[in-house]
Amino acid sequence: MTHHPIARLFPLPLPSRRRLALLLIAFAAAMAALLPGTAAAAQTARACAKAHAAHGARCTVRPARHVKPARHAKARRKPRRRMAPKHGAVSHERQHRPRTTRARTARRKPHPPAGRARRAPRHARAPQAPLAARTVGGAKPQLLASCGYTPATRRLLHSQAIYVVDERSGTVLLERHANQIKPIASVSKLMTAVVSLDRRVPLAHRLRVSVSDRDTIKFTGSRLKVGSVLSRRDMLHIALMSSENRAAAALSRDYPGGRAAFIAAMNRKARVLGMTNTHFVNATGLSPHNVSTARDLARLVSAADRYPTIRAFSTDHAQVVHPGHGQLSYVNSNALVRGGDTRIQLQKTGFINEAGHCLVIRYRIGTRPVDVVLLDAPGPHDHVADAIRIRNWLACSLH
């Protein structure tokens, strides 16, 4: 008969051995409670002891792996307040560097200023339409009622024919009798300048005023006496700026084929520009048979704006010329230019009794060119008042 090792160590009766086994089990349970890592081993030992006590069989209990108990997190220490170095002293303490990568990144990239919005991630940004689509899809320019443009204020305009067009988009902003054919007076000198410059003759070439340059239609006078000699540049300058009639007549005479060929070239240029309701009979505009429409004159303004010389001379404030007998001082015939309106890029005035007071202007509102044509204003200041009112509407509506 084989005896259990406990029986050999403790030769006790069977009831006593059972009590001893129970004591060992209790001891193992107590040790398991004290050592959390040995809970599984205690349970295994308890099962083995029961089996031994009941059947007397041998069992081997493998020791469980030791698991270190979790350490309690240390309480964070409050940062000690560092005393600022005294005046004149140098502090050799190193600044605390953040330990984590995120902290270092936050230190290298400070937060944006309060006035600047934080940029959204690339995947969260809304896709933008192409530039061309945004430009084409934008609203057409128009005069706004909030800027003072109403049917009531529109009736305050004095000019009988009005045409205002946005050059960039071709949008008509304002029109009144724009297709009505009317005399255009000295606005004709814009076409005179265009045809003269198209000839590409040096502007330094000198011209002499002759008897044929005098006005035989209205019999107006001129300070430019017969026999005066000026360069083509000066002739063109005072014709555009001060509407000098004899200067325009001299330019038309100095043309291959004479004055008749020059007038034919003016009408030919008008047809090229699409001015179907326009006709010229002289270069000065003194004839009431120089006629056009407000819509056609907008085409002429657009064509004349391509000539830097016309833009510069028509918007100059004053000019002194030397015709050979002293000097003559001329000023701009447009009160708006004399008043310093820098938004005027090109202009021309005109007046005869049949045409009334006329004015064409190319304004630059911001970066947008706008052409304004005013014909047949009754009073000497009505066309200027209309131009100011329209300019204010444009500046407010198209800013």
Side-chain angles (χ1 to χ4, degrees), residues 45-64:
R46 190 183 307 115
C48 182
K50 286 183 179 181
H52 168 264
H55 304 287
R58 177 182 294 181
C59 66
T60 303
V61 180
R62 294 182 180 180

Side-chain angles (χ1 to χ4, degrees), residues 87-362:
H87 180 70
V90 179
S91 175
H92 298 282
E93 295 181 356
R94 294 183 179 179
Q95 295 182 355
H96 174 69
R97 295 182 179 179
R99 296 181 180 179
T100 62
T101 304
R102 182 176 299 178
R104 287 196 298 270
T105 305
R107 187 174 181 179
R108 287 197 302 266
K109 297 181 179 180
H111 294 288
R116 185 184 303 174
R118 183 172 294 178
R119 194 173 185 180
R122 185 180 298 275
H123 64 275
R125 298 176 197 166
Q128 292 185 353
L131 180 61
R134 293 199 301 270
T135 304
V136 174
K140 289 185 178 181
Q142 60 180 344
L143 299 180
L144 304 177
S146 59
C147 295
Y149 177 70
T150 63
T153 56
R154 178 174 174 168
R155 287 192 292 269
L156 297 177
L157 298 175
H158 303 88
S159 301
Q160 298 302 310
I162 302 173
Y163 190 71
V164 181
V165 59
D166 175 59
E167 176 68 17
R168 181 178 300 172
S169 64
T171 303
V172 178
L173 303 175
L174 172 62
E175 63 176 322
R176 174 193 292 175
H177 306 310
N179 295 321
Q180 192 173 90
I181 299 175
K182 289 180 172 293
I184 60 175
S186 289
V187 177
S188 306
K189 292 185 176 71
L190 277 182
M191 183 63 81
T192 301
V194 169
V195 174
S196 297
L197 291 173
D198 284 347
R199 188 185 170 193
R200 300 184 183 278
V201 176
L203 295 180
H205 180 69
R206 300 182 71 81
L207 297 178
R208 182 181 297 274
V209 178
S210 68
V211 176
S212 62
D213 297 329
R214 292 183 299 180
D215 173 25
T216 58
I217 301 174
K218 299 293 184 181
F219 299 98
T220 57
S222 173
R223 293 189 296 157
L224 200 60
K225 305 299 182 183
V226 174
S228 300
V229 179
L230 290 176
S231 65
R232 291 177 60 87
R233 179 185 300 275
D234 286 340
M235 292 283 192
L236 192 61
H237 198 155
I238 60 178
L240 289 171
M241 183 186 70
S242 302
S243 202
E244 174 57 63
N245 291 314
R246 288 187 182 178
L251 289 170
S252 66
R253 177 175 47 83
D254 183 40
Y255 192 83
R259 186 170 285 125
F262 189 89
I263 303 304
M266 292 176 67
N267 288 309
R268 188 164 53 250
K269 187 69 173 181
R271 289 193 297 271
V272 170
L273 296 178
M275 302 171 64
T276 57
N277 295 315
T278 301
H279 183 70
F280 298 100
V281 297
N282 70 2
T284 61
L286 291 171
S287 171
H289 299 293
N290 277 22
V291 294
S292 185
T293 65
R295 189 182 298 271
D296 277 4
L297 289 180
R299 294 177 178 268
L300 177 57
V301 170
S302 180
D305 187 67
R306 303 188 187 104
Y307 297 79
T309 303
I310 297 179
R311 293 200 306 266
F313 288 173
S314 68
T315 56
D316 200 3
H317 288 217
Q319 174 69 6
V320 176
V321 298
H322 300 82
H325 47 84
Q327 65 179 23
L328 297 175
S329 298
Y330 289 88
V331 296
N332 202 299
S333 59
N334 190 337
L336 296 176
V337 175
R338 297 196 305 270
D341 191 342
T342 58
R343 284 172 287 196
I344 298 177
Q345 188 172 341
L346 181 146
Q347 66 82 33
K348 187 66 191 78
T349 60
F351 170 75
I352 57 174
N353 290 331
E354 294 85 350
H357 294 272
C358 304
L359 176 62
V360 296
I361 294 178
R362 165 158 286 193

Side-chain angles (χ1 to χ4, degrees), residues 7-39:
R8 290 198 298 267
L9 292 175
F10 304 98
L12 298 174
L14 181 59
S16 299
R17 290 201 302 268
R18 289 179 177 176
R19 293 190 190 96
L20 180 60
L22 293 176
L23 289 175
L24 291 175
I25 292 172
F27 178 76
M31 293 300 295
L34 294 176
L35 299 177
T38 60

